[in-house]
Amino acid sequence: MAIEEDPKQKKQCEILEDLPGVGPATAQRLKELGFNTVESLATATVKELEAAGIGEKKALEVVRAARGGMELSFIHADELLKMREKILRLSTGSKAIDALLEGGLETQTITEFYGEFGSGKSQICHQLCVNAQLPRERGGLAGGALYIDTENTFRTERVIKMAEHLGLDPNEVIKNIIFAEAYNSDHQILLLNNADKIIKENNIRLIIVDSLTAHFRSEYLGREMLAERQQKLNKHMHKLIRLSQAFNAVAVVTNQVMAKPDVFFGDAIHPIGGHIVAHTSHTRFYLRKSSRGPLRIARLESSPALPEGEAVFKVTVNGIEDLTEDDELEGRRKR
Ligand SMILES: Nc1ncnc2c1ncn2[C@@H]1O[C@H](COP(=O)(O)OP(=O)(O)O)[C@@H](O)[C@H]1O
Ligand SMILES: [Mg+2]
Protein backbone atom coordinates (compact mmCIF):
# COMPACT_ATOMS: atom_id res chain seq x y z
CA MET A 1 0.00 0.00 0.00
CA ALA A 2 1.43 3.35 -0.97
CA ILE A 3 1.26 6.45 1.21
CA GLU A 4 -1.26 7.97 -1.12
CA GLU A 5 -3.59 10.43 0.49
CA ASP A 6 -7.28 9.82 0.45
CA PRO A 7 -8.55 12.78 -1.58
CA LYS A 8 -11.86 12.89 0.30
CA GLN A 9 -10.17 13.00 3.66
CA LYS A 10 -7.74 15.61 2.37
CA LYS A 11 -10.57 17.82 1.21
CA GLN A 12 -12.30 17.65 4.56
CA CYS A 13 -9.13 18.57 6.43
CA GLU A 14 -8.31 22.05 5.24
CA ILE A 15 -7.53 23.42 8.68
CA LEU A 16 -6.35 21.78 11.89
CA GLU A 17 -9.79 21.87 13.49
CA ASP A 18 -11.06 19.65 10.65
CA LEU A 19 -8.91 16.76 11.87
CA PRO A 20 -10.73 14.19 14.00
CA GLY A 21 -9.98 14.69 17.67
CA VAL A 22 -8.61 18.21 17.24
CA GLY A 23 -10.67 20.76 19.10
CA PRO A 24 -9.87 24.44 19.57
CA ALA A 25 -7.60 23.79 22.57
CA THR A 26 -5.46 21.16 20.80
CA ALA A 27 -5.38 23.30 17.65
CA GLN A 28 -4.09 26.20 19.72
CA ARG A 29 -1.34 24.06 21.25
CA LEU A 30 -0.34 22.75 17.81
CA LYS A 31 -0.17 26.29 16.45
CA GLU A 32 2.03 27.35 19.33
CA LEU A 33 4.39 24.58 18.24
CA GLY A 34 4.47 25.94 14.69
CA PHE A 35 2.03 23.44 13.17
CA ASN A 36 -0.44 25.79 11.55
CA THR A 37 -1.28 23.63 8.55
CA VAL A 38 -2.42 20.06 7.98
CA GLU A 39 0.50 19.63 5.55
CA SER A 40 3.18 20.38 8.14
CA LEU A 41 1.45 18.17 10.69
CA ALA A 42 1.59 15.25 8.27
CA THR A 43 5.39 15.22 8.58
CA ALA A 44 5.47 15.89 12.34
CA THR A 45 6.78 13.35 14.81
CA VAL A 46 4.78 12.13 17.78
CA LYS A 47 7.61 13.31 20.07
CA GLU A 48 7.24 16.87 18.86
CA LEU A 49 3.55 16.92 19.70
CA GLU A 50 4.17 15.32 23.06
CA ALA A 51 6.42 18.26 23.86
CA ALA A 52 3.33 20.45 23.69
CA GLY A 53 1.55 18.35 26.27
CA ILE A 54 -0.45 16.28 23.80
CA GLY A 55 -0.67 12.67 24.92
CA GLU A 56 1.08 9.97 22.86
CA LYS A 57 -2.13 8.33 21.72
CA LYS A 58 -3.69 11.59 20.67
CA ALA A 59 -0.46 12.68 18.96
CA LEU A 60 -0.38 9.49 16.91
CA GLU A 61 -4.01 9.89 15.96
CA VAL A 62 -3.55 13.50 14.90
CA VAL A 63 -0.45 12.80 12.76
CA ARG A 64 -2.16 9.84 11.10
CA ALA A 65 -5.25 11.87 10.34
CA ALA A 66 -3.09 14.62 8.85
CA ARG A 67 -1.46 12.05 6.60
CA GLY A 68 -4.83 11.43 5.09
CA GLY A 69 -6.05 8.68 7.36
CA MET A 70 -3.41 6.28 6.08
CA GLU A 71 -0.58 4.82 8.06
CA LEU A 72 2.89 5.10 6.61
CA SER A 73 3.84 1.65 5.47
CA PHE A 74 6.19 -0.30 3.26
CA ILE A 75 5.86 0.28 -0.44
CA HIS A 76 7.18 -1.30 -3.62
CA ALA A 77 10.03 0.41 -5.41
CA ASP A 78 7.85 1.06 -8.46
CA GLU A 79 5.50 3.04 -6.23
CA LEU A 80 8.51 4.89 -4.89
CA LEU A 81 9.34 5.78 -8.47
CA LYS A 82 5.85 7.17 -8.89
CA MET A 83 6.31 9.30 -5.78
CA ARG A 84 9.58 10.59 -7.15
CA GLU A 85 7.75 11.72 -10.26
CA LYS A 86 6.27 14.48 -8.13
CA ILE A 87 9.75 15.91 -7.64
CA LEU A 88 10.33 19.13 -9.55
CA ARG A 89 13.60 20.73 -10.59
CA LEU A 90 14.74 24.30 -10.28
CA SER A 91 17.30 25.77 -12.66
CA THR A 92 20.28 27.61 -11.17
CA GLY A 93 20.62 29.92 -14.15
CA SER A 94 23.83 28.15 -15.18
CA LYS A 95 23.37 25.39 -17.74
CA ALA A 96 26.71 23.96 -16.66
CA ILE A 97 25.58 23.53 -13.04
CA ASP A 98 22.14 22.31 -14.10
CA ALA A 99 23.81 19.66 -16.25
CA LEU A 100 25.66 18.27 -13.21
CA LEU A 101 22.25 17.93 -11.54
CA GLU A 102 20.50 16.54 -14.59
CA GLY A 103 18.19 19.53 -14.73
CA GLY A 104 18.44 21.51 -11.52
CA LEU A 105 17.88 21.48 -7.76
CA GLU A 106 15.33 18.92 -6.58
CA THR A 107 12.28 19.60 -4.46
CA GLN A 108 11.83 17.63 -1.23
CA THR A 109 15.52 17.61 -0.31
CA ILE A 110 18.18 20.03 0.92
CA THR A 111 20.88 21.37 -1.36
CA GLU A 112 23.88 22.93 0.36
CA PHE A 113 26.31 25.45 -1.11
CA TYR A 114 29.44 25.91 0.94
CA GLY A 115 32.47 28.04 0.25
CA GLU A 116 34.58 30.97 1.29
CA PHE A 117 33.37 34.53 1.65
CA GLY A 118 32.59 35.97 -1.79
CA SER A 119 32.42 32.59 -3.53
CA GLY A 120 28.89 33.33 -4.77
CA LYS A 121 26.66 31.49 -2.29
CA SER A 122 24.30 34.40 -1.66
CA GLN A 123 24.27 35.39 -5.33
CA ILE A 124 23.07 31.89 -6.22
CA CYS A 125 20.37 32.20 -3.54
CA HIS A 126 19.20 35.51 -5.01
CA GLN A 127 19.10 34.00 -8.50
CA LEU A 128 17.13 30.97 -7.29
CA CYS A 129 14.50 33.30 -5.76
CA VAL A 130 13.93 34.77 -9.21
CA ASN A 131 14.16 31.47 -11.10
CA ALA A 132 11.64 29.80 -8.78
CA GLN A 133 9.04 32.20 -10.16
CA LEU A 134 9.61 31.21 -13.76
CA PRO A 135 7.14 28.81 -15.36
CA ARG A 136 8.05 25.12 -15.34
CA GLU A 137 9.06 25.14 -19.02
CA ARG A 138 11.69 27.78 -18.25
CA GLY A 139 13.20 25.79 -15.39
CA GLY A 140 11.14 27.41 -12.65
CA LEU A 141 8.59 26.20 -10.12
CA ALA A 142 5.92 28.83 -10.77
CA GLY A 143 6.03 29.69 -7.08
CA GLY A 144 7.38 32.12 -4.52
CA ALA A 145 10.48 32.03 -2.32
CA LEU A 146 11.12 32.31 1.40
CA TYR A 147 14.49 33.79 2.33
CA ILE A 148 15.84 33.54 5.86
CA ASP A 149 18.86 35.81 5.98
CA THR A 150 21.27 35.52 8.92
CA GLU A 151 24.06 37.74 7.63
CA ASN A 152 22.09 40.74 6.41
CA THR A 153 23.26 40.26 2.82
CA PHE A 154 19.93 39.97 1.00
CA ARG A 155 19.56 42.88 -1.45
CA THR A 156 16.29 43.56 -3.23
CA GLU A 157 18.20 45.60 -5.84
CA ARG A 158 20.05 42.47 -6.94
CA VAL A 159 16.78 40.58 -7.34
CA ILE A 160 15.37 43.42 -9.45
CA LYS A 161 18.39 43.33 -11.77
CA MET A 162 18.13 39.56 -12.18
CA ALA A 163 14.38 39.71 -12.81
CA GLU A 164 14.77 42.40 -15.46
CA HIS A 165 17.42 40.34 -17.20
CA LEU A 166 14.99 37.42 -17.45
CA GLY A 167 12.22 39.67 -18.77
CA LEU A 168 10.09 39.34 -15.63
CA ASP A 169 8.21 42.19 -13.97
CA PRO A 170 10.52 43.09 -11.08
CA ASN A 171 7.67 44.48 -8.98
CA GLU A 172 5.86 41.15 -9.18
CA VAL A 173 9.03 39.20 -8.50
CA ILE A 174 9.91 41.05 -5.31
CA LYS A 175 6.35 40.68 -4.03
CA ASN A 176 6.71 36.91 -4.28
CA ILE A 177 9.77 36.76 -2.05
CA ILE A 178 9.06 36.58 1.66
CA PHE A 179 12.06 37.79 3.61
CA ALA A 180 13.01 37.39 7.25
CA GLU A 181 16.19 38.37 9.03
CA ALA A 182 17.24 36.00 11.79
CA TYR A 183 18.97 37.81 14.63
CA ASN A 184 20.44 34.77 16.36
CA SER A 185 20.28 30.98 16.11
CA ASP A 186 17.21 30.68 18.33
CA HIS A 187 15.39 33.24 16.23
CA GLN A 188 16.46 31.40 13.08
CA ILE A 189 15.00 28.15 14.46
CA LEU A 190 11.81 29.93 15.52
CA LEU A 191 11.33 31.50 12.08
CA LEU A 192 11.52 28.15 10.32
CA ASN A 193 9.38 26.40 12.93
CA ASN A 194 6.63 28.89 12.24
CA ALA A 195 6.98 29.10 8.47
CA ASP A 196 4.38 26.56 7.37
CA LYS A 197 1.44 28.96 7.15
CA ILE A 198 3.42 31.54 5.19
CA ILE A 199 4.66 28.81 2.84
CA LYS A 200 1.15 27.56 2.19
CA GLU A 201 -0.51 30.95 1.80
CA ASN A 202 2.13 32.30 -0.56
CA ASN A 203 2.66 29.23 -2.74
CA ILE A 204 6.30 29.10 -1.64
CA ARG A 205 8.35 26.55 -3.61
CA LEU A 206 11.82 27.57 -2.48
CA ILE A 207 13.04 27.87 1.11
CA ILE A 208 16.47 29.43 1.66
CA VAL A 209 18.53 29.66 4.83
CA ASP A 210 21.54 31.89 4.10
CA SER A 211 23.63 31.12 6.11
CA LEU A 212 22.64 27.97 7.94
CA THR A 213 25.65 27.91 10.25
CA ALA A 214 26.87 31.49 10.85
CA HIS A 215 24.90 32.15 14.06
CA PHE A 216 25.51 28.66 15.42
CA ARG A 217 29.20 29.03 14.80
CA SER A 218 29.51 32.34 16.63
CA GLU A 219 27.20 31.49 19.54
CA TYR A 220 28.33 27.99 20.42
CA LEU A 221 31.98 28.31 21.26
CA GLY A 222 34.28 25.65 22.55
CA ARG A 223 34.09 21.91 22.82
CA GLU A 224 31.66 21.79 25.71
CA MET A 225 28.97 23.49 23.60
CA LEU A 226 29.50 21.38 20.51
CA ALA A 227 27.03 18.63 21.35
CA GLU A 228 24.23 21.12 22.00
CA ARG A 229 25.03 23.01 18.80
CA GLN A 230 24.93 19.85 16.71
CA GLN A 231 21.70 18.70 18.27
CA LYS A 232 20.03 22.04 17.47
CA LEU A 233 21.41 22.12 13.93
CA ASN A 234 20.16 18.59 13.37
CA LYS A 235 16.63 19.45 14.48
CA HIS A 236 16.66 22.65 12.45
CA MET A 237 17.69 20.82 9.28
CA HIS A 238 15.12 18.12 9.79
CA LYS A 239 12.43 20.74 10.10
CA LEU A 240 13.65 22.13 6.80
CA ILE A 241 13.52 18.72 5.11
CA ARG A 242 10.01 18.11 6.34
CA LEU A 243 8.78 21.49 5.13
CA SER A 244 10.32 20.82 1.73
CA GLN A 245 8.52 17.47 1.59
CA ALA A 246 5.20 18.75 2.86
CA PHE A 247 5.08 21.55 0.28
CA ASN A 248 7.13 19.96 -2.52
CA ALA A 249 9.64 22.80 -2.23
CA VAL A 250 13.35 23.14 -2.94
CA ALA A 251 15.38 23.77 0.24
CA VAL A 252 18.73 25.54 0.00
CA VAL A 253 21.23 26.27 2.74
CA THR A 254 24.59 27.99 2.57
CA ASN A 255 27.52 27.16 4.76
CA GLN A 256 30.86 28.70 5.62
CA VAL A 257 34.22 27.02 5.65
CA MET A 258 37.13 26.81 8.04
CA ALA A 259 40.72 25.88 7.44
CA LYS A 260 41.93 22.83 9.32
CA PRO A 261 45.64 22.11 9.43
CA ASP A 262 46.42 19.03 7.40
CA VAL A 263 49.59 17.09 8.04
CA PHE A 264 50.42 16.39 4.41
CA PHE A 265 48.80 19.03 2.25
CA GLY A 266 48.87 22.25 4.27
CA ASP A 267 45.58 23.79 5.35
CA ALA A 268 42.51 21.95 4.09
CA ILE A 269 39.18 23.68 3.67
CA HIS A 270 36.25 22.13 5.51
CA PRO A 271 32.60 23.11 5.69
CA ILE A 272 31.17 23.95 9.13
CA GLY A 273 28.72 21.69 10.87
CA GLY A 274 30.53 18.36 10.71
CA HIS A 275 28.72 15.12 10.05
CA ILE A 276 25.27 16.45 10.86
CA VAL A 277 25.25 19.05 8.10
CA ALA A 278 27.11 16.77 5.68
CA HIS A 279 24.64 13.93 6.09
CA THR A 280 21.48 15.99 6.19
CA SER A 281 22.25 17.89 2.99
CA HIS A 282 21.32 15.53 0.20
CA THR A 283 23.20 17.44 -2.45
CA ARG A 284 26.33 19.35 -1.63
CA PHE A 285 28.27 21.90 -3.68
CA TYR A 286 31.65 23.43 -2.92
CA LEU A 287 32.00 26.88 -4.50
CA ARG A 288 35.30 28.60 -5.05
CA LYS A 289 36.64 31.70 -6.75
CA SER A 290 38.87 31.37 -9.75
CA SER A 291 41.85 33.51 -10.64
CA ARG A 292 39.71 35.08 -13.38
CA GLY A 293 37.45 37.79 -11.92
CA PRO A 294 33.79 36.86 -12.03
CA LEU A 295 34.38 33.18 -12.80
CA ARG A 296 33.50 30.66 -10.11
CA ILE A 297 33.85 26.92 -9.86
CA ALA A 298 31.04 24.76 -8.47
CA ARG A 299 32.01 21.27 -7.46
CA LEU A 300 29.23 18.75 -6.91
CA GLU A 301 30.66 16.84 -3.97
CA SER A 302 27.83 14.56 -3.06
CA SER A 303 24.44 13.58 -4.35
CA PRO A 304 22.32 10.49 -3.72
CA ALA A 305 22.36 9.34 -7.33
CA LEU A 306 24.67 11.52 -9.42
CA PRO A 307 28.42 11.41 -10.01
CA GLU A 308 30.74 14.12 -8.73
CA GLY A 309 31.70 16.83 -11.16
CA GLU A 310 32.69 20.43 -11.70
CA ALA A 311 31.12 23.34 -13.53
CA VAL A 312 32.39 26.84 -14.22
CA PHE A 313 29.95 29.74 -14.02
CA LYS A 314 29.98 33.51 -13.76
CA VAL A 315 28.56 36.01 -11.28
CA THR A 316 27.73 39.17 -13.24
CA VAL A 317 25.52 42.19 -12.85
CA ASN A 318 22.76 40.05 -14.46
CA GLY A 319 23.14 37.24 -11.96
CA ILE A 320 24.36 33.65 -12.37
CA GLU A 321 25.40 33.01 -15.96
CA ASP A 322 27.27 30.57 -18.14
CA LEU A 323 30.60 31.41 -19.72
CA THR A 324 30.50 33.04 -23.14
CA GLU A 325 32.56 31.75 -26.06
CA ASP A 326 35.02 34.58 -25.42
CA ASP A 327 35.41 33.48 -21.81
CA GLU A 328 36.14 29.93 -22.99
CA LEU A 329 38.66 31.15 -25.56
CA GLU A 330 40.45 33.31 -23.02
CA GLY A 331 40.54 30.36 -20.65
CA ARG A 332 42.19 28.18 -23.28
CA ARG A 333 44.74 30.87 -24.09
CA LYS A 334 45.72 31.17 -20.44
CA ARG A 335 46.15 27.45 -20.03
N1 LIG B 1 26.11 43.67 -8.93
C1 LIG B 1 27.08 42.79 -9.11
N2 LIG B 1 27.69 42.69 -10.30
C2 LIG B 1 28.67 41.80 -10.49
N3 LIG B 1 29.11 40.96 -9.53
C3 LIG B 1 28.53 41.00 -8.34
C4 LIG B 1 27.49 41.90 -8.06
N4 LIG B 1 27.10 41.72 -6.79
C5 LIG B 1 27.88 40.74 -6.29
N5 LIG B 1 28.75 40.31 -7.22
C6 LIG B 1 29.79 39.28 -7.06
O1 LIG B 1 29.42 38.40 -6.06
C7 LIG B 1 30.38 38.37 -5.02
C8 LIG B 1 29.70 38.18 -3.69
O2 LIG B 1 29.17 36.92 -3.71
P1 LIG B 1 28.27 36.38 -2.53
O3 LIG B 1 27.32 35.46 -3.15
O4 LIG B 1 27.75 37.49 -1.73
O5 LIG B 1 29.36 35.59 -1.68
P2 LIG B 1 29.13 34.62 -0.45
O6 LIG B 1 29.63 33.30 -0.92
O7 LIG B 1 30.01 35.19 0.62
O8 LIG B 1 27.69 34.62 -0.10
C9 LIG B 1 31.10 39.68 -5.12
O9 LIG B 1 32.40 39.55 -4.61
C10 LIG B 1 31.08 39.91 -6.61
O10 LIG B 1 32.13 39.19 -7.20
MG1 LIG C 1 26.69 35.19 1.61
Side-chain angles (χ1 to χ4, degrees):
M1 176 74 79
I3 326 172
E4 264 172 50
E5 299 130 2
D6 177 353
K8 260 191 279 156
Q9 183 107 24
K10 181 109 203 197
K11 196 133 199 95
Q12 285 162 4
C13 300
E14 289 275 312
I15 56 168
L16 297 183
E17 287 85 344
D18 292 342
L19 293 165
V22 177
T26 308
Q28 186 53 38
R29 260 180 280 158
L30 289 170
K31 284 175 191 168
E32 280 160 15
L33 266 189
F35 296 105
N36 297 288
T37 62
V38 176
E39 286 86 344
S40 68
L41 204 52
T43 53
T45 63
V46 170
K47 258 213 167 86
E48 278 175 312
L49 305 196
E50 280 183 315
I54 296 171
E56 189 185 344
K57 207 169 144 237
K58 177 78 158 269
L60 204 62
E61 189 184 305
V62 167
V63 173
R64 270 186 196 158
R67 283 179 190 157
M70 296 283 207
E71 284 179 49
L72 283 177
S73 52
F74 295 104
I75 57 169
H76 292 289
D78 64 333
E79 286 163 329
L80 196 61
L81 196 64
K82 246 186 252 155
M83 284 168 62
R84 279 196 57 81
E85 280 166 10
K86 278 198 194 154
I87 288 177
L88 305 173
R89 285 174 190 279
L90 171 62
S91 166
T92 59
S94 152
K95 288 195 183 72
I97 300 178
D98 289 352
L100 290 179
L101 295 171
E102 293 188 345
L105 275 56
E106 280 189 353
T107 56
Q108 301 184 27
T109 55
I110 296 180
T111 301
E112 174 193 349
F113 292 95
Y114 79 86
E116 277 175 273
F117 173 76
S119 59
K121 304 181 293 293
S122 297
Q123 292 301 311
I124 288 186
C125 292
H126 282 68
Q127 184 72 59
L128 290 170
C129 286
V130 179
N131 293 2
Q133 301 186 41
L134 289 168
R136 300 269 300 276
E137 58 275 16
R138 286 184 71 188
L141 303 169
L146 174 68
Y147 203 114
I148 297 179
D149 183 5
T150 73
E151 298 182 304
N152 190 18
T153 53
F154 179 83
R155 295 292 177 272
T156 311
E157 307 87 277
R158 286 297 286 144
V159 172
I160 291 174
K161 267 277 174 218
M162 293 171 181
E164 282 171 348
H165 182 68
L166 291 176
L168 298 172
D169 176 356
N171 291 320
E172 278 303 309
V173 168
I174 59 178
K175 265 193 223 143
N176 292 324
I177 300 171
I178 311 281
F179 170 83
E181 187 177 351
Y183 300 109
N184 54 50
S185 66
D186 282 336
H187 187 219
Q188 178 181 337
I189 290 168
L190 191 74
L191 285 171
L192 198 69
N193 284 354
N194 289 288
D196 66 337
K197 198 159 179 246
I198 287 167
I199 293 172
K200 185 172 182 174
E201 289 174 354
N202 294 281
N203 184 31
I204 298 292
R205 285 307 177 93
L206 168 67
I207 309 164
I208 289 174
V209 185
D210 179 26
S211 121
L212 172 74
T213 47
H215 284 318
F216 288 92
R217 184 189 196 183
S218 64
E219 290 166 27
Y220 292 84
L221 299 167
R223 285 213 154 261
E224 60 282 3
M225 292 181 94
L226 194 62
E228 190 187 344
R229 182 189 88 174
Q230 291 305 88
Q231 196 190 6
K232 287 203 170 180
L233 258 176
N234 190 22
K235 258 186 135 174
H236 186 47
M237 289 188 83
H238 275 97
K239 180 73 193 178
L240 183 58
I241 292 179
R242 284 182 287 137
L243 286 172
S244 77
Q245 290 171 337
F247 297 98
N248 200 18
V250 169
V252 171
V253 300
T254 65
N255 192 4
Q256 302 168 320
V257 292
M258 58 180 175
K260 261 195 200 162
D262 187 289
V263 187
F264 296 108
F265 303 108
D267 282 0
I269 295 289
H270 289 276
I272 308 290
H275 292 306
I276 298 268
V277 175
H279 294 165
T280 320
S281 302
H282 299 87
T283 304
R284 181 169 238 203
F285 274 102
Y286 172 39
L287 301 182
R288 60 187 203 274
K289 293 181 184 173
S290 85
S291 53
R292 291 166 56 207
L295 268 53
R296 300 283 188 281
I297 299 139
R299 174 163 185 78
L300 177 60
E301 286 205 336
S302 68
S303 147
L306 295 169
E308 295 174 11
E310 274 190 0
V312 186
F313 67 100
K314 253 193 333 189
V315 183
T316 75
V317 64
N318 295 327
I320 303 301
E321 295 192 293
D322 279 301
L323 305 198
T324 59
E325 268 179 35
D326 287 347
D327 291 326
E328 306 260 11
L329 276 175
E330 195 193 317
R332 253 171 252 143
R333 237 182 285 128
K334 286 200 171 165
R335 246 183 257 144

